[in-house]
Amino acid sequence: HLGFLDRTGSGLRRFSNVKRVVGICLVCGGILYLISSAYEREGIKWIPYDQNIIAATAKEKKPLILDFYADWCPPCLAMEKRVFKDPEVLRLSENLVTMRLDLTRRQPFQDEVLKQYGVRGAPTVIFLNRAGEEEKDLRIETYVSRFEFLNRMRKHLERSAPAR
């Protein structure tokens, strides 16, 4: 219609050229959109929740992030897409153990873990220091921007830096 099939205005050279240029731009834009949407960045590599790993992490004096997530939770999905795939968040997460408890399907130990950490729902992200204790002021219980998450990650890493 933009100059390839429809011959409207074919007598007007300038109009025909504008239609063709607009048509080419739209087709190229559509192709670029399809290519960019097919490429999706990797996110944080979460390990499934395991109390033994948490204990081992504390024994090895490693800081940990524990994410309580569910597929039915819109803020969880938004954080997965906008926050946990951010290049800077990914870079900082390499200095931490990243663990996730998926609340999508009920698990036998789920109630005990939720009670242990005082989690009321998803999303909740808690930061455990090198001693395995929660940094309560860093806790996240709602959607936060990547800037806020990065800020809390940096504070967590600063506090968890080994003593010199």
Side-chain angles (χ1 to χ4, degrees):
H1 178 73
L2 291 170
F4 298 106
L5 301 175
D6 182 19
R7 297 292 173 205
T8 304
S10 59
L12 303 172
R13 188 173 179 91
R14 186 177 271 167
F15 182 70
S16 294
N17 289 338
V18 168
K19 282 186 3 177
R20 284 191 181 101
V21 168
V22 169
I24 290 169
C25 289
L26 287 173
V27 168
C28 290
I31 291 170
L32 289 173
Y33 176 76
L34 287 174
I35 291 170
S36 68
S37 66
Y39 171 75
E40 192 166 320
R41 271 187 271 170
E42 294 258 339
I44 292 177
K45 297 199 183 338
W46 300 101
I47 56 175
Y49 177 84
D50 185 340
Q51 185 61 43
N52 297 326
I53 294 175
I54 292 177
T57 300
K59 191 178 278 188
E60 295 171 12
K61 306 273 190 231
K62 293 181 180 176
L64 181 137
I65 294 178
L66 179 55
D67 178 41
F68 294 85
Y69 167 90
D71 287 340
W72 45 259
C73 165
C76 298
L77 297 173
M79 285 186 68
E80 184 66 34
K81 185 176 181 180
R82 297 185 192 121
V83 178
F84 298 148
K85 291 184 179 183
D86 179 74
E88 181 69 11
V89 170
L90 285 170
R91 189 182 67 72
L92 288 177
S93 74
E94 293 171 0
N95 301 310
L96 302 158
V97 175
T98 53
M99 184 177 288
R100 173 175 275 171
L101 177 56
D102 191 346
L103 303 173
T104 303
R105 289 181 193 81
R106 192 149 193 75
Q107 300 179 45
F109 56 86
Q110 178 176 316
D111 289 336
E112 180 183 323
V113 175
L114 295 175
K115 186 177 179 183
Q116 176 185 353
Y117 291 107
V119 174
R120 294 179 295 222
T124 299
V125 181
I126 62 174
F127 297 83
L128 301 177
N129 62 23
R130 291 181 181 273
E133 300 164 346
E134 181 184 355
E135 299 284 343
K136 293 193 184 287
D137 61 318
L138 299 179
R139 180 182 278 234
I140 297 170
E141 295 182 306
T142 186
Y143 175 85
V144 295
S145 69
R146 68 184 187 89
F147 301 109
E148 180 61 28
F149 193 79
L150 279 168
N151 184 36
R152 292 179 193 219
M153 282 181 85
R154 287 184 184 113
K155 284 180 184 177
H156 183 52
L157 286 168
E158 286 172 12
R159 293 177 187 176
S160 297
R164 293 181 186 204

